[in-house]
Amino acid sequence: MSSFILCAVLLWGLPWCVSADRNDRPVIGVLAQEVYEPKPNQSAYIAASYVKFVEAAGARVVPVMINQTLEDYTKLFNSINGILYPGGGVSIISSGYQRAAKIFYNLAIEANKRGDHFPVWGTCLGFEQLVYLTSGKFSLSHTNTSGVALPLNFTEDAKGSRMFKGFPPELMAALASEPLTENSHQWSLATRTYNTNEDLKNFYKVLSTNTDGTVEFVSTFEAYDYPIYGTQWHPEKNAFEWTRPYIPHSPAAVKATFYMAEFFVSEARKSFHRFESVEEENKALIYNHSPVYTGTKGAFEQIYLF
Ligand SMILES: *[C@@H]1O[C@H](CO)[C@@H](O)[C@H](O)[C@H]1NC(C)=O
Ligand SMILES: *[C@@H]1O[C@H](CO)[C@@H](O)[C@H](O)[C@H]1NC(C)=O
Ligand SMILES: *[C@@H]1O[C@H](CO)[C@@H](O)[C@H](O)[C@H]1NC(C)=O
Ligand SMILES: *[C@@H]1O[C@H](CO)[C@@H](O)[C@H](O)[C@H]1NC(C)=O
């Protein structure tokens, strides 16, 4: 495909360029969620590993706070190039996380229908949130999967999928045979539920499954007609989290982190939303916040508190 480049030298002297089919300055929203025991100014958090995940592949991050107005979320939606729903422990039926996730999901569906590309990524709880939003009901099953690394059981559809088609064959082979994907969840979308739920089946293509020995569940999916992606497992942990012995850090495991991030960010580069001004963008970026070291007492090495 041929493309031409548009550049503008803006007031502060830096050239701002976009090619006609690619945005090389993507900004991705990472959704915050309620902390378990709120304190003043510490009522919501983002684990820093999700921020590093996105940054490692060449995007900047804006925290998406909970409890904002629909108007604020809509404005932010039109300023950013994708959104990531992290893992965590809040309700996918009623929480500030759920409310924001639902608003961005609906805005993303409408935008993508108009040809305005906007990727949505759900990891673990975020994956479960996507399942809930798409099916409109709680469709998860209990599984024994809290703290275990597993190889992916790829489906026939994985090979031609948007997500995996750019992966090196040796990484695909490693993902299929070595326990490189870390699972920390008690709820899963059972394959049997997926197969009997038309809303889910028509919307998502299953790219991998796993089992806890009893229940087979969907571990990776992508939407057929939308840039909406989910992993029940944690691609960000392999490179960035060290507090649990079952998180894999082998060279292939760390490559899995970066190839997943690279794919998501490549989707965000297809979005041309932007902030109204550089000042607005600067004010929104996560660089205005500092992560705190929590690895000695919690599951995450660093978190951002809001
Ligand atoms: C909460 O944050 C605001 C704004 O940063 C600050 O003015 C205020 O002192 C903080 N309150 C506490 C209890 O830390
Ligand atoms: C969000 O709103 C709920 C309900 O009003 C409140 O309990 C909670 O403290 C708020 N959290 C944040 C981070 O604003
Ligand atoms: C859960 O899975 C672990 C292995 O990951 C196993 O050791 C344990 O026995 C299982 N528990 C139950 C109740 O099946
Ligand atoms: C992978 O999934 C297929 C299809 O559900 C199943 O038949 C097979 O037993 C699974 N393999 C493993 C190792 O779980």
Side-chain angles (χ1 to χ4, degrees):
M1 187 195 287
S2 70
S3 69
F4 60 95
I5 310 266
L6 295 168
C7 289
V9 178
L10 301 180
L11 284 178
W12 68 100
L14 292 171
W16 183 83
C17 303
V18 284
S19 79
D21 57 7
R22 204 180 65 212
N23 171 7
D24 282 347
R25 301 182 64 83
V27 175
I28 292 177
V30 176
L31 182 55
Q33 64 188 276
E34 290 87 343
V35 299
Y36 191 61
E37 286 177 337
K39 294 190 195 111
N41 286 357
Q42 301 192 353
S43 51
Y45 81 98
I46 292 173
S49 46
Y50 294 96
V51 175
K52 296 171 192 179
F53 175 74
V54 164
E55 288 180 348
R60 285 163 298 158
V61 168
V62 163
V64 178
M65 305 301 183
I66 59 171
N67 289 2
Q68 308 296 299
T69 64
L70 174 62
E71 195 185 359
D72 286 341
Y73 283 141
T74 305
K75 188 167 179 218
L76 186 57
F77 176 82
N78 289 314
S79 309
I80 61 179
N81 308 110
I83 190 162
L84 189 158
Y85 303 159
V90 296
S91 170
I92 56 168
I93 299 169
S94 74
S95 64
Y97 173 93
Q98 178 275 339
R99 179 173 162 272
K102 182 176 181 175
I103 291 170
F104 277 86
Y105 177 88
N106 289 336
L107 289 169
I109 296 275
E110 285 167 29
N112 284 300
K113 274 187 186 156
R114 294 192 301 267
D116 173 13
H117 193 90
F118 188 91
V120 179
W121 184 286
T123 296
C124 198
L125 182 76
F127 174 100
E128 296 166 19
Q129 183 69 76
L130 287 174
V131 170
Y132 183 78
L133 291 171
T134 305
S135 65
K137 61 180 192 208
F138 191 83
S139 337
L140 304 172
S141 306
H142 211 73
T143 52
N144 177 20
T145 41
S146 351
V148 59
L150 301 168
L152 296 177
N153 188 356
F154 285 115
T155 61
E156 285 299 315
D157 281 333
K159 222 180 177 122
S161 66
R162 300 188 301 274
M163 189 186 290
F164 290 117
K165 74 170 180 246
F167 277 43
E170 61 275 16
L171 181 57
M172 290 301 278
L175 280 165
S177 59
E178 298 168 29
L180 302 184
T181 61
E182 200 273 321
N183 288 258
S184 287
H185 52 104
Q186 300 174 34
W187 295 98
S188 304
L189 172 60
T191 309
R192 203 170 29 165
T193 307
Y194 167 85
N195 282 333
T196 53
N197 183 308
E198 292 301 312
D199 290 332
L200 294 172
K201 214 174 152 176
N202 294 332
F203 195 85
Y204 294 111
K205 180 193 283 188
V206 174
L207 307 185
S208 77
T209 60
N210 279 102
T211 173
D212 68 351
T214 309
V215 179
E216 186 187 68
F217 61 92
V218 176
S219 47
T220 312
F221 60 37
E222 66 184 24
Y224 283 101
D225 300 323
Y226 297 93
I228 299 180
Y229 303 93
T231 63
Q232 182 66 79
W233 49 284
H234 284 273
E236 78 292 347
K237 285 195 195 291
N238 297 359
F240 299 118
E241 297 290 4
W242 300 87
T243 64
R244 297 292 183 265
Y246 43 78
I247 301 172
H249 301 293
S250 66
V254 173
K255 271 187 199 130
T257 298
F258 293 126
Y259 274 89
M260 295 299 277
E262 146 61 26
F263 171 71
F264 179 39
V265 171
S266 75
E267 287 289 281
R269 290 192 191 103
K270 297 176 191 164
S271 161
F272 295 91
H273 293 185
R274 49 185 297 220
F275 284 87
E276 277 166 16
S277 67
V278 171
E279 289 71 25
E280 291 277 310
E281 180 178 278
N282 289 346
K283 256 190 352 211
L285 290 168
I286 199 147
Y287 306 140
N288 293 289
H289 306 270
S290 298
V292 292
Y293 177 34
T294 48
T296 51
K297 47 186 196 287
F300 304 114
E301 292 295 357
Q302 295 181 302
I303 64 173
Y304 291 87
L305 283 163
F306 307 106

